[in-house]
Structures are given as C-alpha cells and as structure tokens.
Amino acid sequence: MTGARPRGGGTQRCPACRAPLLVQWVGDTAALQARVSLPPPDERLPYPAAAADSTPNDLVWCLPRAPHRVLRLRWTGRRHPPDCPHQHLTSHTCPPSTLF
C-alpha cells in the first residue's frame, strides 16, 4: 500500500541538541508529524502544567505508556481530563545555547 504511514513512533535524536525525541504521525485523516522530547517513563508530566507551558501555536500531546505496546501520542483538547494520569508533552524546542 503506497503512502501508508507507520502507526508506531520512532525514537530519534535532535540534530542540534542531541536530546531523545519521539517523532510520529498523529491522526488518520489530517495527520500531523509530532516531535516531542522523550522523558523517562517515571517522570510526572501532568496535563495542566503542559497546557500552561504551551504556546498558541503548540499542541499538547498525551503519551500513555502501556507495557508491551509501542509508544503512541494522542490528541488532547478542551475535553481532555485535567487529572489524566499519563505524561503530557509539547513540541520539542532546543534549549538556548551560546554560539561563541
């Protein structure tokens, strides 16, 4: 089948800062390629904190981690529960660095 996108996510490294990233297409009809920093599995990242850190041009993604499953980002929106137990991530941005 041509044009099919893989369902799972691929881990990569940011070419600029070398941080671990999860890069994946999210959605079926109008998919977006999400690039998020991949935190350790035990790091607590609640939805309200991620929503406060996001910008108007940045989406917040929900990352459930189930044993024996591929990592898959989920869309969040107005109806996403604020007490959701999963990790919540925004798009990766490299930390500021000095060029000199």
Side-chain angles (χ1 to χ4, degrees):
M1 180 178 198
T2 59
R5 292 184 303 274
R7 302 296 272 161
T11 56
Q12 300 177 1
R13 292 248 176 219
C14 175
C17 68
R18 306 300 299 157
L21 300 177
L22 176 62
V23 179
Q24 150 182 140
W25 288 97
V26 182
D28 294 322
T29 304
L32 294 175
Q33 188 177 34
R35 296 171 97 60
V36 297
S37 297
L38 191 58
D42 57 346
E43 189 173 343
R44 180 144 162 58
L45 298 167
Y47 178 71
D53 289 343
S54 70
T55 64
N57 296 327
D58 197 14
L59 298 173
V60 176
W61 304 102
C62 181
L63 180 62
R65 291 184 183 251
H68 313 294
R69 289 214 164 151
V70 175
L71 295 176
R72 295 245 356 235
L73 293 169
R74 294 183 185 167
W75 293 91
T76 62
R78 292 184 306 227
R79 295 182 357 189
H80 192 77
D83 58 345
C84 176
H86 305 125
Q87 291 179 323
H88 295 85
L89 312 168
T90 57
S91 297
H92 172 72
T93 54
C94 293
S97 63
T98 306
L99 297 175
F100 304 84

